[in-house]
Amino acid sequence: MDDCFDDPAARIEDAASLRSRIGPVNPVAASKVLDRLDRFCRDFIALSPFLVLASSDGEGGVDASPRGDGPGFVRVLDERTLLIPDRRGNNRVDSFGNVLASPGVGIVFMVPGINETLRVNGKALMTRDAELLAPSTVQQRPPLTGLIVTVEEAYFHCGKALIRAKLWDPSSQVPRHSFPTLGRIVAEQTRMVEAEEADRNLEEAYRSRLY
């Protein structure tokens, strides 16, 4: 870290200092953490078309990956187990690589129009069990792999962040033309392809490789 941004006297370097700075945890916030998925958690997951999956390689490298599909694409196998199907993408498999090295994951489920989110923490493993993955088939394409997540913590997070961000407010949406296309960004960042070609390739990938 650049020294100009790091004043040693201003660092918070231990749990006691952190707690003294922030204050005590709200008793309700402490007690709302479950070790399983109750009916409210299960119903929320059934409504959710989008999540962010956080993982780590166990050596300090971290990753947060967006996952999305139709509402309820994440299946609740039982009150302590989730199945996240893996859809076709860019084949980087950052999350899967992390899980192979360190199984701990954190998940934030979101539901459009609801400001509260559901946080789930646990341990994950990869599966290629065709029978288990078959119910997650979309457009006649079953997922080749999936993540089985054993739930250790589950709790609802208050909606302050999404309210402040106005995330679901249509008036806060940014016009698409106000920011470069992904194809143009990739073309400039990599110098491997022209912007127009990158845009065409991306659109084709969206159409043909969505699942």
Side-chain angles (χ1 to χ4, degrees):
M1 183 180 294
D2 193 315
D3 289 342
C4 70
F5 298 118
D6 181 25
D7 179 0
R11 294 177 188 168
I12 297 175
E13 298 184 306
D14 58 74
S17 297
L18 173 62
R19 185 53 63 192
S20 66
R21 180 73 176 178
I22 301 300
V25 62
N26 184 296
V28 175
S31 64
K32 70 179 181 179
V33 180
L34 306 176
D35 64 355
R36 67 194 184 286
L37 302 170
D38 68 0
R39 65 184 181 91
F40 299 109
C41 297
R42 296 194 298 271
D43 289 347
F44 195 88
I45 292 170
L47 292 171
S48 176
F50 181 79
L51 63 84
V52 177
L53 173 71
S55 60
S56 168
D57 63 8
E59 297 183 358
V62 297
D63 181 72
S65 174
R67 304 294 174 98
D69 210 329
F73 75 100
V74 174
R75 289 164 46 213
V76 179
L77 303 182
D78 62 36
E79 65 177 6
R80 287 186 170 84
T81 314
L82 294 172
L83 176 65
I84 305 175
D86 187 52
R87 302 304 183 191
R88 302 177 70 184
N90 57 19
N91 293 338
R92 284 181 54 97
V93 294
D94 297 308
S95 299
F96 282 172
N98 285 345
V99 166
L100 290 175
S102 178
V105 296
I107 307 168
V108 178
F109 289 95
M110 301 183 192
V111 174
I114 297 179
N115 288 318
E116 290 71 31
T117 57
L118 175 65
R119 295 172 61 170
V120 176
N121 301 319
K123 297 291 194 300
L125 58 84
M126 292 176 56
T127 183
R128 55 184 178 86
D129 185 329
E131 184 177 352
L132 183 63
L133 294 167
S136 296
T137 296
V138 176
Q139 295 183 3
Q140 299 182 333
R141 292 186 177 180
L144 299 178
T145 56
L147 282 182
I148 297 174
V149 179
T150 299
V151 176
E152 296 179 344
E153 295 181 321
Y155 56 98
F156 283 96
H157 197 105
C158 77
K160 291 180 181 178
L162 272 65
I163 292 171
R164 291 173 184 140
K166 299 181 179 179
L167 190 62
W168 309 131
D169 185 346
S171 67
S172 70
Q173 291 187 357
V174 176
R176 184 62 191 90
H177 62 77
S178 67
F179 194 79
T181 64
L182 179 58
R184 185 165 297 276
I185 293 169
V186 170
E188 185 168 332
Q189 289 178 339
T190 65
R191 305 295 183 184
M192 294 177 64
V193 65
E194 294 297 323
E196 290 75 14
E197 181 183 352
D199 277 335
R200 289 195 299 271
N201 291 343
L202 184 64
E203 288 301 320
E204 175 60 26
Y206 283 161
R207 288 193 298 270
S208 65
R209 300 190 63 192
L210 194 58
Y211 293 102

